[in-house]
């Protein structure tokens, strides 16, 4: 059994698709306990019994549509007209737009591709140091993971619900829980950016009512979207899956029929590209349903908890170890695989230490968010390197200060549970 | 004259087109159905088949999306290590990965086919009286298509390795 696990680890490190690695581990697990192997497929088929899952393809498709339309330009112009007069205003524009955009596009690298190309030249034009601009754009590509309706938040909710341990977690509650921790990250990054560029006294432009009005009018169709979606969910008007359907239909109508920025002929290609991401996420989720089932049958989470409890007694130490572990994990594993593989093991343990499942989700995602730009794998480092034609190493260096700021934010989020929970209660 | 490899390439292109068409149709149906459901709720009309069909479509979209991802080798994977390997070892790693993934998917396709057979023998009825085994056919089909794509990846890496060896 240990030999099989080692062999699987090796093929995983060689770059084997993780859904196949998880499937292989579930297959060998079932085989060793004499369970029919078709159980793996039967568990995978349970994807069709999970009502919330429909939100994933719909939100992802909507996000890709927004990325292909003129919405990124309009969001940048809009925030610029309202924040541009502040010193360091452009940095604030970047942080705010990236967070908003990532929440809707599911942190799939779309943010850097869609917004980076607009923001980077603007930073250069405004005289920001190159390293600062690159670092900010690279690290902002994953900002907004904690804001509804981000894909990782939904995925955490689904996995936690499947486990059925502790008190039930609803996606709506998760959306509320992420709000203040997400804002904390924005405020800390914003404060540092303004201070770092305090020498750049000259604001981008004086605030002008005519410009602000023009920008608002230009974005008149997109501005209602966050209010409809988030207001609808937080206000209890729609369930998450309904909000996803409303979003996709709204975006289709606006970008394809009203603004006509996306020709109908391009829709199939956008659909296919967005569903490649969805297929990749659902494949690992489906296989993880099977492997988790085996792990629970073999009582792995209980044994793991007992082993850990004999070394760690306090909740505080547990959380600290969790932070360290997740930082290391984030260096090699992407956020989606980390959720489906690790949450079934970590959540029961966290509940054993008295951590609220909502708080755990926020800590987990905040931690993994840093992983997006931690060397060596941080996906956004490579996307930014490709997008701006800079060596990965230079981007790593540029991202260092942002890493420490977000790390400080993660520590605050971890040790101050009320920040995540106060709005829920 | 059409060579065998040309024929195979043509077949694979046709297959990819069919897969994409299925993916786009399924997602389109999902959007229409999910939107229609909200409308129906407003009108207080309850159709019991809409909800299970929506969930089934999500599974199908996921499977065809996974097939498309395997075609473009875009499945989620740890590429930290392989990125830093020298070119020839990268090819070797690709060959191992292709062989492994196509093997696992072939086993999954076989087990899925057995699952379809159980459903057939059990005469399970699903949505609107459609036999459950017909709806489950997508599972062996999907895993089979993914297995083929990783077998192709394996073949192409092995050929590239052989070519690299012949060069030196």
């Amino acid at each position: 059994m240990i030999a099989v696990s080692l062999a699987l680890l090796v093929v995983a490190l060689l770059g084997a698709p993780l859904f196949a690695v998880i499937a292989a581990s579930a297959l060998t697990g079932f085989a060793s306990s004499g369970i029919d192997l078709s159980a793996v497929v039967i568990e995978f088929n349970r994807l069709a019994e999970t009502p919330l899952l429909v939100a994933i393809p719909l939100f992802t498709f909507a996000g890709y549509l927004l990325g292909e339309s003129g919405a990124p330009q309009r969001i940048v112009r809009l925030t610029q007209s309202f924040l541009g007069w502040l010193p360091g205003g452009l940095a604030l524009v970047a942080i705010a737009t990236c967070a908003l955009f990532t929440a809707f596009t599911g942190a799939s690298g779309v943010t850097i591709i869609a917004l980076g190309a607009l923001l980077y030249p603007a930073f250069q034009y405004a005289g920001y140091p190159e390293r600062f601009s690159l670092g900010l754009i690279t690290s902002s590509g994953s900002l907004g993971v904690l804001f509804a309706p981000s894909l990782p938040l939904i995925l955490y909710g689904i996995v936690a619900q499947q486990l059925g341990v502790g008190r039930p977690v609803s996606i709506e509650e998760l959306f509320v829980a992420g709000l203040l921790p997400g804002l904390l990250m924005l405020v800390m990054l914003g404060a540092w950016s303004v201070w770092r560029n305090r020498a750049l006294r000259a604001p981008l432009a004086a605030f002008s009512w005519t410009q602000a009005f023009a920008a608002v009018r230009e974005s008149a169709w997109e501005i209602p979207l966050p209010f409809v979606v988030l207001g609808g969910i937080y206000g209890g008007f729609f369930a998450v899956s309904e909000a996803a359907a409303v979003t996709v239909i709204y975006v289709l109508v606006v970008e394809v029929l009203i603004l006509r920025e996306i020709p109908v002929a391009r829709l199939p290609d956008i659909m296919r590209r967005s569903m490649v991401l969805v297929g990749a996420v659902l494949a690992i989720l489906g296989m993880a349903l099977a492997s988790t089932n085996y792990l629970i049958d073999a009582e792995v989470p209980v044994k793991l908890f007992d082993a850990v409890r004999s070394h760690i007694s306090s909740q505080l130490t547990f959380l600290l170890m969790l932070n360290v572990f997740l930082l290391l994990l984030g260096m090699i594993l992407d956020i989606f695989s980390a959720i489906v593989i690790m949450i079934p093991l970590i959540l029961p343990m966290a509940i054993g230490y008295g951590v609220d499942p909502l708080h755990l989700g926020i800590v987990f995602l905040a931690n993994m968010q840093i992983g997006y730009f931690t060397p060596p794998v941080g996906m956004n480092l490579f996307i930014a390197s490709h997008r701006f034609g800079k060596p990965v190493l230079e981007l790593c260096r540029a991202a260092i200060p942002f890493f420490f700021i977000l790390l400080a934010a993660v520590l605050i989020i971890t040790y101050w549970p009320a920040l995540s929970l106060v709005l829920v209660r | 004259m059409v060579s065998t490899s040309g024929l195979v390439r043509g077949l694979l292109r046709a297959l990819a087109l069919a897969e994409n068409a299925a993916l786009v149709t399924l997602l389109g149906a999902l959007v229409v159905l999910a939107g229609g459901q909200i409308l129906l709720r407003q009108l207080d009309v309850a159709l019991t088949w809409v909800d299970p069909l929506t969930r089934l479509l999500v599974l199908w979209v996921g499977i065809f999306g996974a097939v498309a991802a395997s075609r473009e080798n875009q499945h989620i994977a740890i590429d930290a290590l392989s990125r830093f390997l020298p070119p020839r070892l990268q090819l070797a790693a690709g060959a191992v990965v292709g062989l492994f993934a196509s093997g696992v998917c072939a086993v999954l396709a076989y087990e899925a086919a057995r699952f379809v057979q159980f459903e057939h023998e059990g005469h399970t009825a699903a949505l609107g009286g459609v036999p459950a085994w017909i709806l489950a056919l997508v599972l062996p089909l999907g895993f089979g298509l993914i297995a083929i794509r990783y077998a192709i990846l394996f073949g192409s890496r092995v050929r590239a390795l052989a070519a690299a060896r012949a060069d030196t």
Side-chain angles (χ1 to χ4, degrees):
Chain A
M1 204 60 208
I2 292 174
V4 173
S5 308
L6 273 180
L8 287 178
L9 189 65
V10 171
V11 284
L13 287 175
L14 286 177
L18 287 172
F19 85 87
V21 176
I22 303 170
S25 102
L27 285 169
T28 48
F30 281 129
S32 73
S33 34
I35 298 170
D36 194 307
L37 293 187
S38 61
V40 175
V41 179
I42 294 169
E43 289 293 319
F44 187 89
N45 200 38
R46 268 180 46 214
L47 284 179
E49 289 159 24
T50 317
L52 281 169
L53 225 50
V54 67
I56 291 182
L58 296 180
F59 273 130
T60 310
F61 178 38
Y64 270 70
L65 280 173
L66 281 175
E68 291 286 324
S69 71
Q73 282 96 320
R74 286 191 291 271
I75 300 177
V76 171
R77 261 201 298 270
L78 182 69
T79 29
Q80 214 160 341
S81 69
F82 282 94
L83 296 175
W85 55 274
L86 288 161
L90 184 59
L92 300 179
V93 169
I95 292 168
T97 49
C98 283
L100 191 68
F101 205 69
T102 305
F104 272 87
T105 58
S108 46
V110 181
T111 305
I112 292 182
I113 294 170
L115 287 174
L118 298 170
L119 292 171
Y120 182 54
F123 273 121
Q124 283 181 318
Y125 181 74
Y128 281 77
E130 168 150 316
R131 190 178 275 188
F132 172 85
S133 333
L134 286 173
L136 183 67
I137 294 171
T138 309
S139 48
S140 298
S142 57
L143 216 56
V145 162
L146 295 180
F147 294 126
S150 93
L151 207 50
L153 265 178
I154 298 175
L155 196 61
Y156 173 81
I158 290 173
V159 172
Q161 284 181 0
Q162 292 286 329
L163 284 171
V165 287
R167 68 180 190 86
V169 176
S170 79
I171 308 243
E172 286 83 358
E173 279 177 319
L174 272 169
F175 282 179
V176 177
L179 218 55
L180 291 180
L183 281 174
L184 175 75
M185 289 185 154
L186 298 192
V187 169
M188 285 175 69
L189 273 183
W192 188 78
S193 301
V194 170
W195 184 80
R196 171 78 176 66
N197 297 295
R198 60 198 180 284
L200 284 171
R201 274 273 169 251
L204 277 181
F207 181 81
S208 118
W209 280 106
T210 31
Q211 284 217 345
F213 184 69
V216 167
R217 224 175 52 178
E218 197 183 51
S219 305
W221 285 105
E222 275 106 3
I223 291 172
L225 188 58
F227 295 99
V228 169
V229 173
L230 303 182
I233 295 173
Y234 291 143
F237 297 106
F238 327 116
V240 172
S241 50
E242 290 173 330
V246 169
T247 306
V248 84
I249 289 170
Y250 185 92
V251 172
L252 271 173
V253 169
V254 168
E255 311 294 347
V256 179
L257 297 181
I258 298 178
L259 301 175
R260 296 172 186 246
E261 287 176 337
I262 299 175
V264 176
R266 267 189 46 224
L267 280 181
D269 187 53
I270 300 173
M271 287 168 119
R272 181 189 58 80
R273 278 189 291 128
S274 60
M275 289 309 110
V276 164
L277 174 70
V278 170
V281 170
L282 291 189
I284 52 169
L285 178 65
M287 291 307 163
L289 289 177
S291 78
T292 304
N293 201 301
Y294 165 70
L295 288 179
I296 291 172
D297 269 358
E299 301 190 320
V300 174
V302 179
K303 288 175 191 158
L304 201 65
F305 179 46
D306 286 341
V308 171
R309 200 168 45 180
S310 63
H311 296 286
I312 299 172
S313 53
S314 78
Q315 192 197 63
L316 209 69
T317 329
F318 168 73
L319 286 172
L320 184 72
M321 297 311 285
L322 186 68
N323 280 145
V324 173
F325 173 72
L326 291 178
L327 270 183
L328 294 174
L329 188 73
M331 287 181 186
I332 57 161
L333 216 55
D334 69 280
I335 199 163
F336 302 116
S337 322
I339 292 170
V340 302
I341 297 171
M342 298 313 301
I343 290 300
L345 297 174
I346 293 177
L347 184 59
M349 230 192 285
I351 289 169
Y353 280 104
V355 179
D356 189 287
L358 285 176
H359 182 218
L360 178 80
I362 302 304
V363 169
F364 191 92
L365 296 184
N367 235 306
M368 292 306 293
Q369 180 194 326
I370 299 182
Y372 271 97
F373 60 95
T374 350
V377 280
M379 177 175 80
N380 285 352
L381 290 171
F382 293 93
I383 295 174
S385 153
H386 184 73
R387 195 79 183 86
F388 306 121
K390 303 280 175 198
V392 172
L393 220 59
E394 192 180 326
L395 289 164
C396 292
R397 265 203 304 271
I400 290 172
F402 299 93
F403 172 82
F404 283 107
I405 291 165
L406 289 180
L407 184 62
V410 166
L411 293 177
I412 296 174
I413 291 166
T414 308
Y415 300 108
W416 188 15
L419 191 64
S420 311
L421 300 174
V422 71
L423 290 182
V424 181
R425 285 178 189 143
Chain B
M1 198 185 104
V2 182
S3 67
T4 339
S5 70
L7 191 69
V8 170
R9 262 203 298 277
L11 275 177
L12 282 175
R13 243 200 318 273
L15 192 59
L17 271 177
E19 289 164 359
N20 284 343
L23 185 56
V24 169
T25 314
L26 289 169
L27 179 60
L30 185 60
V31 171
V32 170
L33 216 57
Q37 201 172 14
I38 299 175
L39 209 68
L40 288 177
R41 206 186 64 163
Q42 296 305 317
L43 300 173
D44 260 336
V45 181
L47 295 176
T48 46
W49 52 270
V50 175
D51 204 39
L53 183 59
T54 312
R55 280 180 277 141
L56 201 64
L57 281 173
V58 173
L59 173 71
W60 289 1
V61 162
I63 289 177
F64 279 97
V67 171
S70 68
R71 215 162 55 209
E72 298 158 25
N73 196 12
Q74 281 194 356
H75 269 285
I76 295 175
I78 300 176
D79 45 8
L81 199 73
S82 53
R83 218 187 277 274
F84 298 105
L85 289 175
R88 197 174 297 181
L89 280 181
Q90 251 177 35
L91 287 176
V96 172
V97 163
L99 188 63
F100 167 78
S102 81
V104 171
C105 291
V107 173
L108 290 172
Y110 171 75
E111 293 301 338
R114 282 184 56 226
F115 172 60
V116 171
Q117 201 187 346
F118 302 148
E119 296 277 64
H120 185 54
E121 283 160 4
H123 297 289
T124 333
L127 268 178
V130 179
W133 70 271
I134 292 185
L135 299 179
L137 274 175
V138 69
L139 291 161
L141 177 70
F143 289 123
L145 289 170
I146 298 174
I148 293 174
R149 267 35 186 266
Y150 279 106
I152 293 173
L153 179 77
F154 168 69
S156 79
R157 294 300 186 269
V158 168
R159 268 198 307 279
L161 264 178
R165 177 161 301 177
D167 281 348
T168 47

